[in-house]
Amino acid sequence: MKMLISNSSSVPIYEQIKKSIINQILDGELKEDEALPSIRVLAQDIKISAMTIKKAYDELEAEGYLKSIQGKGTFVAPKNTELAKEQAQKDIEKYIEKIVAISNRFEICEKDVIEMFKMFYEEGL
């Protein structure tokens, strides 16, 4: 499992871990029922406190991305399409916020922005 953590980021480390795991699940790099490293092993591998890893794993389990089986470990939960769709919508909202900010800054009207969206959809991008 790949894990890039930045100590200089303003994003808390457990959030970086969560985002990394979520992205790997949504991208198909981590498959349904695939075992994740134990909390202790991952903590040693990326040199982060085991409590930080536990917090990330616990939140991912509460959000439905992971499942824990006592005595066996932590696994990728069966894919919940609604969960994946919700995450995609959150990602789209962030991009739309940026698009609106840029269009406002350069006085590009809503109609022109919508036309650009339509053009991209028609091209199938």
Side-chain angles (χ1 to χ4, degrees):
M1 180 169 68
K2 297 180 294 184
M3 190 73 54
L4 293 173
I5 304 299
S6 171
N7 290 327
S8 60
S9 173
S10 62
V11 177
I13 292 173
Y14 81 94
E15 286 286 349
Q16 293 179 53
I17 294 166
K18 279 180 57 180
K19 186 71 171 171
S20 177
I21 293 171
I22 289 170
N23 287 339
Q24 290 178 63
I25 291 170
L26 296 179
D27 291 344
E29 295 171 31
L30 289 174
K31 308 281 187 231
E32 184 176 320
D33 292 324
E34 184 173 338
L36 271 67
S38 72
I39 291 170
R40 199 172 37 210
V41 167
L42 185 56
Q44 290 172 348
D45 285 351
I46 62 174
K47 298 176 181 31
I48 300 293
S49 162
M51 292 306 294
T52 301
I53 306 296
K54 181 172 178 8
K55 182 174 184 177
Y57 275 23
D58 286 349
E59 287 192 12
L60 287 166
E61 186 170 4
E63 293 171 14
Y65 290 101
L66 301 180
K67 62 181 178 181
S68 293
I69 300 174
Q70 187 69 28
K72 292 191 177 188
T74 303
F75 301 85
V76 176
K79 201 164 208 170
N80 179 338
T81 55
E82 285 302 312
L83 196 58
K85 185 176 179 179
E86 179 67 27
Q87 183 61 45
Q89 287 175 330
K90 286 180 187 177
D91 292 343
I92 290 169
E93 287 172 4
K94 290 177 188 175
Y95 286 112
I96 290 173
E97 286 176 4
K98 291 178 185 179
I99 290 167
V100 169
I102 292 168
S103 64
N104 286 338
R105 186 176 333 126
F106 293 101
E107 298 178 358
I108 299 169
C109 70
E110 177 183 348
K111 180 182 171 195
D112 290 344
V113 173
I114 290 171
E115 284 302 315
M116 284 185 247
F117 270 104
K118 288 180 181 178
M119 182 179 68
F120 277 90
Y121 268 103
E122 289 169 3
E123 292 178 5
L125 296 176

